[in-house]
PDB file of all heavy atoms in Angstrom:
ATOM      1  N   THR A 297     168.279  87.401  62.476  1.00 84.00           N
ATOM      2  CA  THR A 297     167.143  88.267  62.798  1.00 84.00           C
ATOM      3  C   THR A 297     166.415  88.776  61.562  1.00 84.00           C
ATOM      4  O   THR A 297     165.316  89.309  61.677  1.00 84.00           O
ATOM      5  CB  THR A 297     167.631  89.488  63.603  1.00 84.00           C
ATOM      6  OG1 THR A 297     168.672  90.148  62.868  1.00 84.00           O
ATOM      7  CG2 THR A 297     168.160  89.058  64.962  1.00 84.00           C
ATOM      8  N   ASN A 298     167.025  88.644  60.392  1.00 80.00           N
ATOM      9  CA  ASN A 298     166.398  89.214  59.196  1.00 80.00           C
ATOM     10  C   ASN A 298     166.472  88.302  57.978  1.00 80.00           C
ATOM     11  O   ASN A 298     165.544  88.244  57.187  1.00 80.00           O
ATOM     12  CB  ASN A 298     167.019  90.579  58.873  1.00 80.00           C
ATOM     13  CG  ASN A 298     166.254  91.333  57.802  1.00 80.00           C
ATOM     14  OD1 ASN A 298     166.790  91.698  56.784  1.00 80.00           O
ATOM     15  ND2 ASN A 298     164.960  91.584  58.040  1.00 80.00           N
ATOM     16  N   GLY A 299     167.545  87.550  57.835  1.00 82.00           N
ATOM     17  CA  GLY A 299     167.651  86.633  56.703  1.00 82.00           C
ATOM     18  C   GLY A 299     167.812  87.329  55.372  1.00 82.00           C
ATOM     19  O   GLY A 299     167.001  87.132  54.456  1.00 82.00           O
ATOM     20  N   ILE A 300     168.841  88.160  55.225  1.00 87.00           N
ATOM     21  CA  ILE A 300     169.101  88.833  53.957  1.00 87.00           C
ATOM     22  C   ILE A 300     169.249  87.817  52.825  1.00 87.00           C
ATOM     23  O   ILE A 300     168.761  88.019  51.713  1.00 87.00           O
ATOM     24  CB  ILE A 300     170.367  89.713  54.063  1.00 87.00           C
ATOM     25  CG1 ILE A 300     170.115  90.895  55.004  1.00 87.00           C
ATOM     26  CG2 ILE A 300     170.801  90.218  52.692  1.00 87.00           C
ATOM     27  CD1 ILE A 300     171.330  91.760  55.252  1.00 87.00           C
ATOM     28  N   VAL A 301     169.913  86.686  53.130  1.00 92.00           N
ATOM     29  CA  VAL A 301     170.140  85.676  52.086  1.00 92.00           C
ATOM     30  C   VAL A 301     168.827  85.070  51.602  1.00 92.00           C
ATOM     31  O   VAL A 301     168.749  84.593  50.463  1.00 92.00           O
ATOM     32  CB  VAL A 301     171.088  84.574  52.601  1.00 92.00           C
ATOM     33  CG1 VAL A 301     172.517  85.063  52.652  1.00 92.00           C
ATOM     34  CG2 VAL A 301     170.645  84.044  53.959  1.00 92.00           C
ATOM     35  N   VAL A 302     167.803  85.075  52.445  1.00 93.00           N
ATOM     36  CA  VAL A 302     166.495  84.570  52.007  1.00 93.00           C
ATOM     37  C   VAL A 302     165.931  85.482  50.925  1.00 93.00           C
ATOM     38  O   VAL A 302     165.354  85.019  49.931  1.00 93.00           O
ATOM     39  CB  VAL A 302     165.520  84.478  53.202  1.00 93.00           C
ATOM     40  CG1 VAL A 302     164.128  84.054  52.747  1.00 93.00           C
ATOM     41  CG2 VAL A 302     166.053  83.496  54.240  1.00 93.00           C
ATOM     42  N   ARG A 303     166.111  86.787  51.086  1.00 91.00           N
ATOM     43  CA  ARG A 303     165.668  87.757  50.069  1.00 91.00           C
ATOM     44  C   ARG A 303     166.504  87.627  48.803  1.00 91.00           C
ATOM     45  O   ARG A 303     165.997  87.784  47.685  1.00 91.00           O
ATOM     46  CB  ARG A 303     165.761  89.175  50.634  1.00 91.00           C
ATOM     47  CG  ARG A 303     164.715  89.473  51.708  1.00 91.00           C
ATOM     48  CD  ARG A 303     165.026  90.799  52.411  1.00 91.00           C
ATOM     49  NE  ARG A 303     163.921  91.247  53.244  1.00 91.00           N
ATOM     50  CZ  ARG A 303     163.622  90.762  54.438  1.00 91.00           C
ATOM     51  NH1 ARG A 303     164.364  89.785  54.942  1.00 91.00           N
ATOM     52  NH2 ARG A 303     162.605  91.237  55.133  1.00 91.00           N
ATOM     53  N   GLU A 304     167.805  87.340  48.976  1.00 93.00           N
ATOM     54  CA  GLU A 304     168.655  87.142  47.805  1.00 93.00           C
ATOM     55  C   GLU A 304     168.223  85.904  47.016  1.00 93.00           C
ATOM     56  O   GLU A 304     168.195  85.930  45.776  1.00 93.00           O
ATOM     57  CB  GLU A 304     170.117  87.012  48.245  1.00 93.00           C
ATOM     58  CG  GLU A 304     170.685  88.300  48.820  1.00 93.00           C
ATOM     59  CD  GLU A 304     172.095  88.149  49.349  1.00 93.00           C
ATOM     60  OE1 GLU A 304     172.558  86.996  49.511  1.00 93.00           O
ATOM     61  OE2 GLU A 304     172.744  89.173  49.614  1.00 93.00           O
ATOM     62  N   ALA A 305     167.889  84.828  47.733  1.00 94.00           N
ATOM     63  CA  ALA A 305     167.408  83.620  47.063  1.00 94.00           C
ATOM     64  C   ALA A 305     166.124  83.915  46.297  1.00 94.00           C
ATOM     65  O   ALA A 305     165.946  83.479  45.144  1.00 94.00           O
ATOM     66  CB  ALA A 305     167.175  82.506  48.087  1.00 94.00           C
ATOM     67  N   ALA A 306     165.219  84.684  46.926  1.00 93.00           N
ATOM     68  CA  ALA A 306     163.948  85.034  46.274  1.00 93.00           C
ATOM     69  C   ALA A 306     164.192  85.880  45.029  1.00 93.00           C
ATOM     70  O   ALA A 306     163.490  85.732  44.017  1.00 93.00           O
ATOM     71  CB  ALA A 306     163.049  85.774  47.259  1.00 93.00           C
ATOM     72  N   ALA A 307     165.188  86.775  45.087  1.00 94.00           N
ATOM     73  CA  ALA A 307     165.513  87.604  43.923  1.00 94.00           C
ATOM     74  C   ALA A 307     165.954  86.742  42.742  1.00 94.00           C
ATOM     75  O   ALA A 307     165.800  87.133  41.582  1.00 94.00           O
ATOM     76  CB  ALA A 307     166.612  88.604  44.277  1.00 94.00           C
ATOM     77  N   CYS A 308     166.489  85.553  43.050  1.00 95.00           N
ATOM     78  CA  CYS A 308     166.929  84.636  41.992  1.00 95.00           C
ATOM     79  C   CYS A 308     165.904  83.538  41.735  1.00 95.00           C
ATOM     80  O   CYS A 308     166.206  82.529  41.079  1.00 95.00           O
ATOM     81  CB  CYS A 308     168.272  84.010  42.376  1.00 95.00           C
ATOM     82  SG  CYS A 308     169.597  85.215  42.567  1.00 95.00           S
ATOM     83  N   GLY A 309     164.695  83.718  42.277  1.00 93.00           N
ATOM     84  CA  GLY A 309     163.608  82.795  41.999  1.00 93.00           C
ATOM     85  C   GLY A 309     163.682  81.479  42.745  1.00 93.00           C
ATOM     86  O   GLY A 309     163.085  80.482  42.304  1.00 93.00           O
ATOM     87  N   LYS A 310     164.403  81.442  43.876  1.00 94.00           N
ATOM     88  CA  LYS A 310     164.553  80.197  44.613  1.00 94.00           C
ATOM     89  C   LYS A 310     163.810  80.248  45.948  1.00 94.00           C
ATOM     90  O   LYS A 310     163.917  81.226  46.700  1.00 94.00           O
ATOM     91  CB  LYS A 310     166.033  79.898  44.896  1.00 94.00           C
ATOM     92  CG  LYS A 310     166.870  79.846  43.635  1.00 94.00           C
ATOM     93  CD  LYS A 310     166.388  78.743  42.686  1.00 94.00           C
ATOM     94  CE  LYS A 310     167.126  78.820  41.358  1.00 94.00           C
ATOM     95  NZ  LYS A 310     166.777  77.739  40.450  1.00 94.00           N
ATOM     96  N   ALA A 311     163.082  79.177  46.244  1.00 92.00           N
ATOM     97  CA  ALA A 311     162.382  79.069  47.527  1.00 92.00           C
ATOM     98  C   ALA A 311     163.371  78.669  48.615  1.00 92.00           C
ATOM     99  O   ALA A 311     164.402  78.054  48.337  1.00 92.00           O
ATOM    100  CB  ALA A 311     161.260  78.039  47.431  1.00 92.00           C
ATOM    101  N   SER A 312     163.026  78.993  49.862  1.00 94.00           N
ATOM    102  CA  SER A 312     163.888  78.694  50.997  1.00 94.00           C
ATOM    103  C   SER A 312     163.193  77.750  51.963  1.00 94.00           C
ATOM    104  O   SER A 312     161.978  77.815  52.144  1.00 94.00           O
ATOM    105  CB  SER A 312     164.272  79.981  51.741  1.00 94.00           C
ATOM    106  OG  SER A 312     164.992  80.857  50.917  1.00 94.00           O
ATOM    107  N   VAL A 313     163.988  76.894  52.595  1.00 94.00           N
ATOM    108  CA  VAL A 313     163.515  76.065  53.707  1.00 94.00           C
ATOM    109  C   VAL A 313     163.946  76.755  54.993  1.00 94.00           C
ATOM    110  O   VAL A 313     165.141  76.963  55.224  1.00 94.00           O
ATOM    111  CB  VAL A 313     164.101  74.641  53.642  1.00 94.00           C
ATOM    112  CG1 VAL A 313     163.665  73.831  54.863  1.00 94.00           C
ATOM    113  CG2 VAL A 313     163.657  73.947  52.365  1.00 94.00           C
ATOM    114  N   LEU A 314     162.962  77.134  55.816  1.00 94.00           N
ATOM    115  CA  LEU A 314     163.230  77.944  57.006  1.00 94.00           C
ATOM    116  C   LEU A 314     162.569  77.318  58.225  1.00 94.00           C
ATOM    117  O   LEU A 314     161.645  76.513  58.113  1.00 94.00           O
ATOM    118  CB  LEU A 314     162.692  79.368  56.809  1.00 94.00           C
ATOM    119  CG  LEU A 314     163.124  80.084  55.529  1.00 94.00           C
ATOM    120  CD1 LEU A 314     162.259  81.307  55.288  1.00 94.00           C
ATOM    121  CD2 LEU A 314     164.591  80.478  55.618  1.00 94.00           C
ATOM    122  N   LEU A 315     163.047  77.725  59.399  1.00 91.00           N
ATOM    123  CA  LEU A 315     162.431  77.267  60.639  1.00 91.00           C
ATOM    124  C   LEU A 315     161.147  78.040  60.901  1.00 91.00           C
ATOM    125  O   LEU A 315     161.115  79.271  60.811  1.00 91.00           O
ATOM    126  CB  LEU A 315     163.389  77.455  61.817  1.00 91.00           C
ATOM    127  CG  LEU A 315     164.623  76.566  61.869  1.00 91.00           C
ATOM    128  CD1 LEU A 315     165.427  76.873  63.114  1.00 91.00           C
ATOM    129  CD2 LEU A 315     164.245  75.093  61.832  1.00 91.00           C
TER     130      LEU A 315
END
Side-chain angles (χ1 to χ4, degrees):
T297 55
N298 190 237
I300 292 176
V301 285
V302 176
R303 289 169 169 77
E304 293 176 347
C308 298
K310 303 299 173 176
S312 298
V313 176
L314 308 166
L315 291 181

